Amino acid sequence: MKYSVAVVGGGPSGACAAEVFAQDKSIDTYLIERNFKNAKPCGGAIPVCMVEEFDLPAEIVDRKVRKMSLIAPSGKEVAIGDTLRSDEYI
């Protein structure tokens, strides 16, 4: 049986999903992205490893986050970034 999949949004998640589907010969895969001129790959927060993985030019990095807190609905808070060296960011 042949399937068709449309992935809307060509950011990191959409591009990865489309790649996974496209590897299956029984799935016709379509990636839909409205703005190919937009160099920003997502909503603004991507891990450092993705900068290298997607070979993003350093000049498009707007801000480097060094510390942040995640707060669960239960109220539990986790601090992130306390162990970073001076040349590292999240």
Side-chain angles (χ1 to χ4, degrees):
M1 180 173 248
K2 191 81 169 171
Y3 295 96
S4 294
V5 172
V7 178
V8 180
S13 297
C16 288
E19 179 182 25
V20 169
F21 288 127
Q23 291 174 4
D24 187 325
K25 300 295 183 206
S26 67
I27 302 175
D28 288 330
T29 306
Y30 302 90
L31 177 59
I32 301 167
E33 174 57 48
R34 67 179 171 186
N35 186 2
F36 287 105
K37 295 178 183 175
N38 188 359
K40 189 175 183 183
C42 69
I46 60 173
V48 175
C49 64
M50 289 292 103
V51 173
E52 295 171 6
E53 178 73 21
F54 284 90
D55 196 24
L56 299 172
E59 60 270 10
I60 71 165
V61 175
D62 184 52
R63 277 168 253 168
K64 296 178 181 179
V65 175
R66 300 202 31 80
K67 290 189 177 197
M68 63 189 242
S69 294
L70 297 177
I71 304 170
S74 66
K76 181 174 174 112
E77 186 171 342
V78 177
I80 299 173
D82 291 336
T83 60
L84 294 177
R85 295 187 310 251
S86 62
D87 63 336
E88 294 179 315
Y89 60 98
I90 299 170

